[in-house]
Amino acid sequence: MNINTVDTINLDNPWWFDKINNEITVASKLYTIAGSYALNSMTAAWCTYFNKKLINDFELENPYELVNSGKWTFDKMVEMGTVVCADLNGNGLIDDEDRFGFSHENAYSLRYGMGTTITNFDSDGYPIMDGASEKMIIVFDKIKSLYNNDKLFYKDTGNDFSKIDLMFTNNQSLFHSYTIKLTEDAIMREFEDYGIVPTPKLDEKQENYYALSYGDSYSIPIIVNDENISGAVLEALNRESYLNVIPSYYDIALQRKYTRDDESSAMLDIILDN
């Protein structure tokens, strides 16, 4: 059902995610809607973790200061990561006993962080493919260069993501890209020396930091007898989550239990606003 025709849903209310809903509106019709009821819209937002011990040991720039000054870019991340790479076991091979600049499950969050999109809209509001724009090519060339640099980028070929996390907490990776939900994991709760920053920008000219998120959305089937009742329930659930559930998770869980410093809390504001 077109959500825009449901009288009991008011998209101007702050519990609806307008940045997402605007992007999935097709020719003024909205068939699925994103809002605060999906806590995973917050927990599944991608960010970049950094290892404080390695930052201090190698006297690298403060990632928090880089973010605040607008200088936290993809190239800066690669530059800093390259400094820490080392063959720790001295066997002349690249293996999981060495130290890397970056560990990551996949590269999707990086391309969105650098401001690329899959579609735009034509004059009638229909989505059209962005295609191989100059910016898209630049972004994918950067990601390819990182992904194929085995000395810099650690990736476990067996898809054992816990092993990738362990590389970070063992001080074998400077930067680690994953979702905010990783802060809840036991391996991170036992690890003290980490901070959180947004996914890096393409360059300093890029206005905002962006976060990829794998959150849920909601639809109303066309067969319901009273769409306004369904709309009222969705409105109420999202309002309640916005007013009570999300603040509790954000203020108590994220800012007090899981993050390690006040600066990380400020970074979460930037990540979740974008």
Side-chain angles (χ1 to χ4, degrees), residues 5-224:
T5 66
V6 180
D7 293 337
T8 49
I9 291 180
N10 183 357
L11 294 177
D12 292 331
N13 285 324
W15 41 86
W16 298 113
F17 298 152
D18 57 337
K19 288 186 177 69
I20 297 175
N21 294 326
N22 290 339
E23 289 297 316
I24 56 178
T25 297
V26 177
S28 301
K29 295 180 174 62
L30 180 63
Y31 294 106
T32 187
I33 189 171
S36 300
Y37 184 47
L39 186 62
N40 62 4
S41 293
M42 174 184 291
T43 61
W46 284 74
C47 60
T48 304
Y49 297 88
F50 67 89
N51 187 300
K52 289 184 176 181
K53 182 179 186 303
L54 295 180
I55 290 286
N56 293 329
D57 287 351
F58 286 87
E59 299 181 345
L60 298 171
E61 294 175 77
N62 185 323
Y64 295 136
E65 294 178 1
L66 288 171
V67 171
N68 290 329
S69 64
K71 297 180 179 180
W72 174 235
T73 65
F74 181 91
D75 289 344
K76 175 61 68 173
M77 180 188 71
V78 171
E79 173 192 317
M80 295 171 68
T82 302
V83 173
V84 309
C85 297
D87 180 11
L88 295 181
N89 58 12
N91 65 358
L93 302 174
I94 300 171
D95 55 38
D96 56 12
E97 294 183 1
D98 296 332
R99 186 171 60 232
F100 300 83
F102 194 66
S103 52
H104 199 329
E105 176 191 337
N106 59 50
Y108 288 120
S109 66
L110 292 173
R111 58 155 293 188
Y112 287 107
M114 287 189 276
T116 63
T117 56
I118 297 174
T119 58
N120 267 313
F121 292 97
D122 64 18
S123 58
D124 296 319
Y126 286 94
I128 53 176
M129 295 295 293
D130 270 355
S133 65
E134 181 180 359
K135 180 178 181 180
M136 186 77 76
I137 293 171
I138 291 172
V139 166
F140 271 87
D141 279 347
K142 287 181 179 293
I143 294 174
K144 179 182 177 181
S145 177
L146 170 66
Y147 198 82
N148 290 335
N149 188 333
D150 292 336
K151 292 183 179 179
L152 176 64
F153 185 18
Y154 177 80
K155 47 187 179 294
D156 180 62
T157 55
N159 289 324
D160 184 356
F161 301 142
S162 62
K163 188 176 180 179
I164 299 177
D165 300 337
L166 190 61
M167 294 291 291
F168 179 70
T169 57
N170 279 347
N171 301 315
Q172 289 176 260
S173 176
L174 176 61
F175 296 117
H176 184 53
S177 184
Y178 216 87
T179 65
I180 289 175
K181 190 173 178 62
L182 182 62
T183 60
E184 303 174 20
D185 196 282
I187 193 172
M188 293 294 282
R189 296 181 72 171
E190 296 171 2
F191 182 56
E192 290 294 328
D193 287 337
Y194 76 86
I196 300 174
V197 291
T199 302
K201 300 189 295 184
L202 172 60
D203 52 39
E204 294 182 31
K205 297 178 182 178
Q206 183 175 313
E207 184 177 357
N208 295 315
Y209 296 97
Y210 297 113
L212 171 66
S213 178
Y214 293 126
D216 291 335
S217 62
Y218 328 98
S219 298
I220 300 176
I222 198 71
I223 60 172
V224 299

Side-chain angles (χ1 to χ4, degrees), residues 250-251 255 263-274:
Y250 186 80
D251 295 338
Q255 293 195 339
E263 291 91 343
S264 287
S265 297
M267 295 296 110
L268 287 171
D269 288 334
I270 296 174
I271 295 165
L272 297 174
D273 281 346
N274 295 283

